[in-house]
PDB file of all heavy atoms in Angstrom:
ATOM      1  N   ALA A  32      95.626  98.331 122.143  1.00 97.00           N
ATOM      2  CA  ALA A  32      95.690  96.965 122.677  1.00 97.00           C
ATOM      3  C   ALA A  32      94.354  96.246 122.543  1.00 97.00           C
ATOM      4  O   ALA A  32      94.301  95.060 122.202  1.00 97.00           O
ATOM      5  CB  ALA A  32      96.128  97.001 124.136  1.00 97.00           C
ATOM      6  N   ASN A  33      93.266  96.960 122.802  1.00 97.00           N
ATOM      7  CA  ASN A  33      91.941  96.331 122.734  1.00 97.00           C
ATOM      8  C   ASN A  33      91.573  95.878 121.334  1.00 97.00           C
ATOM      9  O   ASN A  33      90.776  94.947 121.157  1.00 97.00           O
ATOM     10  CB  ASN A  33      90.867  97.302 123.239  1.00 97.00           C
ATOM     11  CG  ASN A  33      90.841  97.419 124.749  1.00 97.00           C
ATOM     12  OD1 ASN A  33      91.332  96.541 125.460  1.00 97.00           O
ATOM     13  ND2 ASN A  33      90.274  98.503 125.250  1.00 97.00           N
ATOM     14  N   LEU A  34      92.142  96.529 120.327  1.00 96.00           N
ATOM     15  CA  LEU A  34      91.787  96.216 118.941  1.00 96.00           C
ATOM     16  C   LEU A  34      92.679  95.133 118.338  1.00 96.00           C
ATOM     17  O   LEU A  34      92.792  95.021 117.122  1.00 96.00           O
ATOM     18  CB  LEU A  34      91.858  97.484 118.086  1.00 96.00           C
ATOM     19  CG  LEU A  34      90.768  98.523 118.365  1.00 96.00           C
ATOM     20  CD1 LEU A  34      91.040  99.800 117.592  1.00 96.00           C
ATOM     21  CD2 LEU A  34      89.393  97.983 118.017  1.00 96.00           C
ATOM     22  N   ARG A  35      93.273  94.295 119.174  1.00 95.00           N
ATOM     23  CA  ARG A  35      94.226  93.276 118.674  1.00 95.00           C
ATOM     24  C   ARG A  35      93.616  92.383 117.609  1.00 95.00           C
ATOM     25  O   ARG A  35      94.280  92.029 116.624  1.00 95.00           O
ATOM     26  CB  ARG A  35      94.719  92.434 119.851  1.00 95.00           C
ATOM     27  CG  ARG A  35      93.653  91.634 120.573  1.00 95.00           C
ATOM     28  CD  ARG A  35      94.159  91.116 121.907  1.00 95.00           C
ATOM     29  NE  ARG A  35      94.401  92.239 122.825  1.00 95.00           N
ATOM     30  CZ  ARG A  35      95.057  92.117 123.981  1.00 95.00           C
ATOM     31  NH1 ARG A  35      95.543  90.945 124.337  1.00 95.00           N
ATOM     32  NH2 ARG A  35      95.218  93.157 124.761  1.00 95.00           N
ATOM     33  N   TYR A  36      92.361  91.999 117.766  1.00 92.00           N
ATOM     34  CA  TYR A  36      91.757  91.092 116.781  1.00 92.00           C
ATOM     35  C   TYR A  36      91.385  91.840 115.504  1.00 92.00           C
ATOM     36  O   TYR A  36      91.302  91.238 114.429  1.00 92.00           O
ATOM     37  CB  TYR A  36      90.542  90.402 117.385  1.00 92.00           C
ATOM     38  CG  TYR A  36      90.910  89.572 118.592  1.00 92.00           C
ATOM     39  CD1 TYR A  36      90.616  90.015 119.882  1.00 92.00           C
ATOM     40  CD2 TYR A  36      91.590  88.364 118.450  1.00 92.00           C
ATOM     41  CE1 TYR A  36      90.985  89.271 120.998  1.00 92.00           C
ATOM     42  CE2 TYR A  36      91.963  87.613 119.553  1.00 92.00           C
ATOM     43  CZ  TYR A  36      91.659  88.074 120.827  1.00 92.00           C
ATOM     44  OH  TYR A  36      92.039  87.343 121.924  1.00 92.00           O
ATOM     45  N   PHE A  37      91.184  93.132 115.613  1.00 92.00           N
ATOM     46  CA  PHE A  37      90.971  93.961 114.428  1.00 92.00           C
ATOM     47  C   PHE A  37      92.265  94.069 113.631  1.00 92.00           C
ATOM     48  O   PHE A  37      92.283  93.884 112.415  1.00 92.00           O
ATOM     49  CB  PHE A  37      90.487  95.343 114.855  1.00 92.00           C
ATOM     50  CG  PHE A  37      90.377  96.352 113.743  1.00 92.00           C
ATOM     51  CD1 PHE A  37      89.623  96.081 112.615  1.00 92.00           C
ATOM     52  CD2 PHE A  37      91.019  97.581 113.824  1.00 92.00           C
ATOM     53  CE1 PHE A  37      89.507  97.016 111.590  1.00 92.00           C
ATOM     54  CE2 PHE A  37      90.912  98.515 112.819  1.00 92.00           C
ATOM     55  CZ  PHE A  37      90.154  98.228 111.695  1.00 92.00           C
ATOM     56  N   TRP A  38      93.379  94.349 114.324  1.00 90.00           N
ATOM     57  CA  TRP A  38      94.660  94.446 113.614  1.00 90.00           C
ATOM     58  C   TRP A  38      95.024  93.113 112.970  1.00 90.00           C
ATOM     59  O   TRP A  38      95.592  93.075 111.879  1.00 90.00           O
ATOM     60  CB  TRP A  38      95.782  94.850 114.570  1.00 90.00           C
ATOM     61  CG  TRP A  38      95.581  96.096 115.376  1.00 90.00           C
ATOM     62  CD1 TRP A  38      95.803  96.240 116.717  1.00 90.00           C
ATOM     63  CD2 TRP A  38      95.149  97.400 114.932  1.00 90.00           C
ATOM     64  NE1 TRP A  38      95.535  97.524 117.131  1.00 90.00           N
ATOM     65  CE2 TRP A  38      95.132  98.258 116.048  1.00 90.00           C
ATOM     66  CE3 TRP A  38      94.771  97.914 113.701  1.00 90.00           C
ATOM     67  CZ2 TRP A  38      94.758  99.599 115.979  1.00 90.00           C
ATOM     68  CZ3 TRP A  38      94.387  99.243 113.618  1.00 90.00           C
ATOM     69  CH2 TRP A  38      94.384 100.071 114.738  1.00 90.00           C
ATOM     70  N   ALA A  39      94.713  92.008 113.633  1.00 84.00           N
ATOM     71  CA  ALA A  39      95.108  90.685 113.135  1.00 84.00           C
ATOM     72  C   ALA A  39      94.022  90.020 112.306  1.00 84.00           C
ATOM     73  O   ALA A  39      94.179  88.874 111.899  1.00 84.00           O
ATOM     74  CB  ALA A  39      95.469  89.771 114.313  1.00 84.00           C
ATOM     75  N   GLY A  40      92.939  90.732 112.040  1.00 71.00           N
ATOM     76  CA  GLY A  40      91.791  90.123 111.381  1.00 71.00           C
ATOM     77  C   GLY A  40      91.837  90.130 109.874  1.00 71.00           C
ATOM     78  O   GLY A  40      90.808  89.923 109.232  1.00 71.00           O
ATOM     79  N   GLY A  41      93.003  90.402 109.290  1.00 59.00           N
ATOM     80  CA  GLY A  41      93.142  90.233 107.850  1.00 59.00           C
ATOM     81  C   GLY A  41      92.938  91.481 107.027  1.00 59.00           C
ATOM     82  O   GLY A  41      92.899  91.412 105.810  1.00 59.00           O
ATOM     83  N   HIS A  42      92.823  92.662 107.659  1.00 65.00           N
ATOM     84  CA  HIS A  42      92.579  93.870 106.867  1.00 65.00           C
ATOM     85  C   HIS A  42      93.582  94.991 107.160  1.00 65.00           C
ATOM     86  O   HIS A  42      93.933  95.742 106.258  1.00 65.00           O
ATOM     87  CB  HIS A  42      91.166  94.409 107.122  1.00 65.00           C
ATOM     88  CG  HIS A  42      90.099  93.681 106.385  1.00 65.00           C
ATOM     89  ND1 HIS A  42      89.353  94.244 105.376  1.00 65.00           N
ATOM     90  CD2 HIS A  42      89.665  92.416 106.485  1.00 65.00           C
ATOM     91  CE1 HIS A  42      88.497  93.348 104.897  1.00 65.00           C
ATOM     92  NE2 HIS A  42      88.669  92.241 105.565  1.00 65.00           N
ATOM     93  N   THR A  43      94.007  95.149 108.398  1.00 75.00           N
ATOM     94  CA  THR A  43      94.723  96.362 108.781  1.00 75.00           C
ATOM     95  C   THR A  43      95.992  96.065 109.568  1.00 75.00           C
ATOM     96  O   THR A  43      96.337  96.783 110.501  1.00 75.00           O
ATOM     97  CB  THR A  43      93.803  97.262 109.624  1.00 75.00           C
ATOM     98  OG1 THR A  43      93.266  96.479 110.709  1.00 75.00           O
ATOM     99  CG2 THR A  43      92.671  97.815 108.795  1.00 75.00           C
ATOM    100  N   MET A  44      96.710  95.014 109.208  1.00 81.00           N
ATOM    101  CA  MET A  44      97.889  94.620 109.961  1.00 81.00           C
ATOM    102  C   MET A  44      98.968  95.696 109.933  1.00 81.00           C
ATOM    103  O   MET A  44      99.493  96.091 110.977  1.00 81.00           O
ATOM    104  CB  MET A  44      98.444  93.312 109.411  1.00 81.00           C
ATOM    105  CG  MET A  44      99.565  92.742 110.237  1.00 81.00           C
ATOM    106  SD  MET A  44      98.986  92.094 111.806  1.00 81.00           S
ATOM    107  CE  MET A  44      98.179  90.596 111.234  1.00 81.00           C
ATOM    108  N   ALA A  45      99.330  96.175 108.759  1.00 80.00           N
ATOM    109  CA  ALA A  45     100.403  97.162 108.664  1.00 80.00           C
ATOM    110  C   ALA A  45     100.006  98.468 109.347  1.00 80.00           C
ATOM    111  O   ALA A  45     100.818  99.093 110.035  1.00 80.00           O
ATOM    112  CB  ALA A  45     100.769  97.412 107.202  1.00 80.00           C
ATOM    113  N   ALA A  46      98.758  98.897 109.157  1.00 84.00           N
ATOM    114  CA  ALA A  46      98.300 100.115 109.827  1.00 84.00           C
ATOM    115  C   ALA A  46      98.303  99.925 111.335  1.00 84.00           C
ATOM    116  O   ALA A  46      98.629 100.841 112.092  1.00 84.00           O
ATOM    117  CB  ALA A  46      96.899 100.485 109.341  1.00 84.00           C
ATOM    118  N   GLY A  47      97.937  98.725 111.798  1.00 88.00           N
ATOM    119  CA  GLY A  47      97.964  98.446 113.225  1.00 88.00           C
ATOM    120  C   GLY A  47      99.377  98.533 113.776  1.00 88.00           C
ATOM    121  O   GLY A  47      99.598  99.085 114.864  1.00 88.00           O
ATOM    122  N   ARG A  48     100.336  97.991 113.048  1.00 90.00           N
ATOM    123  CA  ARG A  48     101.727  98.079 113.506  1.00 90.00           C
ATOM    124  C   ARG A  48     102.162  99.532 113.615  1.00 90.00           C
ATOM    125  O   ARG A  48     102.822  99.931 114.596  1.00 90.00           O
ATOM    126  CB  ARG A  48     102.635  97.320 112.552  1.00 90.00           C
ATOM    127  CG  ARG A  48     104.104  97.379 112.964  1.00 90.00           C
ATOM    128  CD  ARG A  48     104.980  96.496 112.089  1.00 90.00           C
ATOM    129  NE  ARG A  48     106.358  96.503 112.577  1.00 90.00           N
ATOM    130  CZ  ARG A  48     107.312  95.699 112.109  1.00 90.00           C
ATOM    131  NH1 ARG A  48     107.029  94.835 111.154  1.00 90.00           N
ATOM    132  NH2 ARG A  48     108.534  95.765 112.597  1.00 90.00           N
ATOM    133  N   TYR A  49     101.799 100.324 112.642  1.00 89.00           N
ATOM    134  CA  TYR A  49     102.153 101.745 112.655  1.00 89.00           C
ATOM    135  C   TYR A  49     101.577 102.431 113.888  1.00 89.00           C
ATOM    136  O   TYR A  49     102.280 103.174 114.593  1.00 89.00           O
ATOM    137  CB  TYR A  49     101.642 102.397 111.373  1.00 89.00           C
ATOM    138  CG  TYR A  49     101.742 103.902 111.329  1.00 89.00           C
ATOM    139  CD1 TYR A  49     102.981 104.530 111.251  1.00 89.00           C
ATOM    140  CD2 TYR A  49     100.596 104.688 111.337  1.00 89.00           C
ATOM    141  CE1 TYR A  49     103.070 105.914 111.194  1.00 89.00           C
ATOM    142  CE2 TYR A  49     100.673 106.069 111.277  1.00 89.00           C
ATOM    143  CZ  TYR A  49     101.912 106.682 111.214  1.00 89.00           C
ATOM    144  OH  TYR A  49     102.003 108.049 111.159  1.00 89.00           O
ATOM    145  N   ARG A  50     100.306 102.166 114.196  1.00 92.00           N
ATOM    146  CA  ARG A  50      99.669 102.791 115.359  1.00 92.00           C
ATOM    147  C   ARG A  50     100.299 102.292 116.655  1.00 92.00           C
ATOM    148  O   ARG A  50     100.541 103.063 117.587  1.00 92.00           O
ATOM    149  CB  ARG A  50      98.167 102.495 115.361  1.00 92.00           C
ATOM    150  CG  ARG A  50      97.423 102.996 114.141  1.00 92.00           C
ATOM    151  CD  ARG A  50      97.267 104.495 114.152  1.00 92.00           C
ATOM    152  NE  ARG A  50      96.936 104.962 112.807  1.00 92.00           N
ATOM    153  CZ  ARG A  50      96.997 106.230 112.409  1.00 92.00           C
ATOM    154  NH1 ARG A  50      97.367 107.152 113.269  1.00 92.00           N
ATOM    155  NH2 ARG A  50      96.702 106.572 111.191  1.00 92.00           N
ATOM    156  N   LEU A  51     100.542 101.005 116.751  1.00 95.00           N
ATOM    157  CA  LEU A  51     101.147 100.441 117.957  1.00 95.00           C
ATOM    158  C   LEU A  51     102.544 101.015 118.196  1.00 95.00           C
ATOM    159  O   LEU A  51     102.909 101.347 119.335  1.00 95.00           O
ATOM    160  CB  LEU A  51     101.212  98.919 117.849  1.00 95.00           C
ATOM    161  CG  LEU A  51      99.884  98.182 118.011  1.00 95.00           C
ATOM    162  CD1 LEU A  51      99.957  96.793 117.389  1.00 95.00           C
ATOM    163  CD2 LEU A  51      99.503  98.091 119.489  1.00 95.00           C
ATOM    164  N   GLU A  52     103.317 101.138 117.143  1.00 95.00           N
ATOM    165  CA  GLU A  52     104.671 101.675 117.302  1.00 95.00           C
ATOM    166  C   GLU A  52     104.642 103.146 117.695  1.00 95.00           C
ATOM    167  O   GLU A  52     105.506 103.612 118.463  1.00 95.00           O
ATOM    168  CB  GLU A  52     105.476 101.452 116.023  1.00 95.00           C
ATOM    169  CG  GLU A  52     105.840  99.978 115.813  1.00 95.00           C
ATOM    170  CD  GLU A  52     106.568  99.714 114.515  1.00 95.00           C
ATOM    171  OE1 GLU A  52     106.454 100.555 113.594  1.00 95.00           O
ATOM    172  OE2 GLU A  52     107.242  98.671 114.414  1.00 95.00           O
ATOM    173  N   ARG A  53     103.658 103.895 117.215  1.00 95.00           N
ATOM    174  CA  ARG A  53     103.523 105.295 117.638  1.00 95.00           C
ATOM    175  C   ARG A  53     103.189 105.372 119.125  1.00 95.00           C
ATOM    176  O   ARG A  53     103.721 106.227 119.852  1.00 95.00           O
ATOM    177  CB  ARG A  53     102.435 105.999 116.825  1.00 95.00           C
ATOM    178  CG  ARG A  53     102.811 106.325 115.393  1.00 95.00           C
ATOM    179  CD  ARG A  53     101.761 107.190 114.723  1.00 95.00           C
ATOM    180  NE  ARG A  53     101.694 108.518 115.331  1.00 95.00           N
ATOM    181  CZ  ARG A  53     100.723 109.399 115.092  1.00 95.00           C
ATOM    182  NH1 ARG A  53      99.720 109.063 114.291  1.00 95.00           N
ATOM    183  NH2 ARG A  53     100.726 110.577 115.659  1.00 95.00           N
ATOM    184  N   VAL A  54     102.306 104.500 119.584  1.00 97.00           N
ATOM    185  CA  VAL A  54     101.952 104.484 121.001  1.00 97.00           C
ATOM    186  C   VAL A  54     103.169 104.105 121.842  1.00 97.00           C
ATOM    187  O   VAL A  54     103.457 104.731 122.875  1.00 97.00           O
ATOM    188  CB  VAL A  54     100.791 103.502 121.252  1.00 97.00           C
ATOM    189  CG1 VAL A  54     100.653 103.203 122.746  1.00 97.00           C
ATOM    190  CG2 VAL A  54      99.484 104.068 120.704  1.00 97.00           C
ATOM    191  N   LEU A  55     103.901 103.087 121.414  1.00 97.00           N
ATOM    192  CA  LEU A  55     105.044 102.618 122.197  1.00 97.00           C
ATOM    193  C   LEU A  55     106.196 103.619 122.196  1.00 97.00           C
ATOM    194  O   LEU A  55     107.098 103.524 123.035  1.00 97.00           O
ATOM    195  CB  LEU A  55     105.517 101.269 121.653  1.00 97.00           C
ATOM    196  CG  LEU A  55     104.569 100.103 121.959  1.00 97.00           C
ATOM    197  CD1 LEU A  55     104.922  98.878 121.130  1.00 97.00           C
ATOM    198  CD2 LEU A  55     104.590  99.773 123.447  1.00 97.00           C
ATOM    199  N   ALA A  56     106.178 104.576 121.279  1.00 96.00           N
ATOM    200  CA  ALA A  56     107.196 105.631 121.269  1.00 96.00           C
ATOM    201  C   ALA A  56     106.910 106.706 122.317  1.00 96.00           C
ATOM    202  O   ALA A  56     107.785 107.536 122.608  1.00 96.00           O
ATOM    203  CB  ALA A  56     107.281 106.261 119.885  1.00 96.00           C
ATOM    204  N   LEU A  57     105.707 106.702 122.898  1.00 96.00           N
ATOM    205  CA  LEU A  57     105.365 107.682 123.932  1.00 96.00           C
ATOM    206  C   LEU A  57     106.110 107.344 125.218  1.00 96.00           C
ATOM    207  O   LEU A  57     106.227 106.175 125.589  1.00 96.00           O
ATOM    208  CB  LEU A  57     103.856 107.687 124.177  1.00 96.00           C
ATOM    209  CG  LEU A  57     102.986 108.069 122.964  1.00 96.00           C
ATOM    210  CD1 LEU A  57     101.506 107.846 123.281  1.00 96.00           C
ATOM    211  CD2 LEU A  57     103.225 109.525 122.564  1.00 96.00           C
ATOM    212  N   PRO A  58     106.595 108.347 125.941  1.00 93.00           N
ATOM    213  CA  PRO A  58     107.467 108.066 127.085  1.00 93.00           C
ATOM    214  C   PRO A  58     106.753 107.673 128.371  1.00 93.00           C
ATOM    215  O   PRO A  58     107.393 107.139 129.284  1.00 93.00           O
ATOM    216  CB  PRO A  58     108.200 109.400 127.280  1.00 93.00           C
ATOM    217  CG  PRO A  58     107.228 110.434 126.801  1.00 93.00           C
ATOM    218  CD  PRO A  58     106.488 109.796 125.660  1.00 93.00           C
ATOM    219  N   ASP A  59     105.463 107.932 128.476  1.00 94.00           N
ATOM    220  CA  ASP A  59     104.813 107.803 129.779  1.00 94.00           C
ATOM    221  C   ASP A  59     103.584 106.897 129.777  1.00 94.00           C
ATOM    222  O   ASP A  59     102.698 107.040 130.621  1.00 94.00           O
ATOM    223  CB  ASP A  59     104.417 109.189 130.298  1.00 94.00           C
ATOM    224  CG  ASP A  59     103.523 109.939 129.308  1.00 94.00           C
ATOM    225  OD1 ASP A  59     103.350 109.448 128.170  1.00 94.00           O
ATOM    226  OD2 ASP A  59     103.007 111.014 129.665  1.00 94.00           O
TER     227      ASP A  59
END
């Protein structure tokens, strides 16, 4: 969550989505 501007900063959008979706798949 803290790296939102890094994910949206024009370099790592797809990788950011992958990481975010992995985190959101965690149950707790």
Side-chain angles (χ1 to χ4, degrees):
N33 283 339
L34 290 173
R35 63 194 67 192
Y36 299 105
F37 173 55
W38 306 133
H42 281 247
T43 53
M44 187 71 74
R48 180 174 184 172
Y49 171 69
R50 300 287 162 194
L51 286 159
E52 289 177 339
R53 286 188 67 191
V54 165
L55 288 167
L57 299 172
D59 56 352

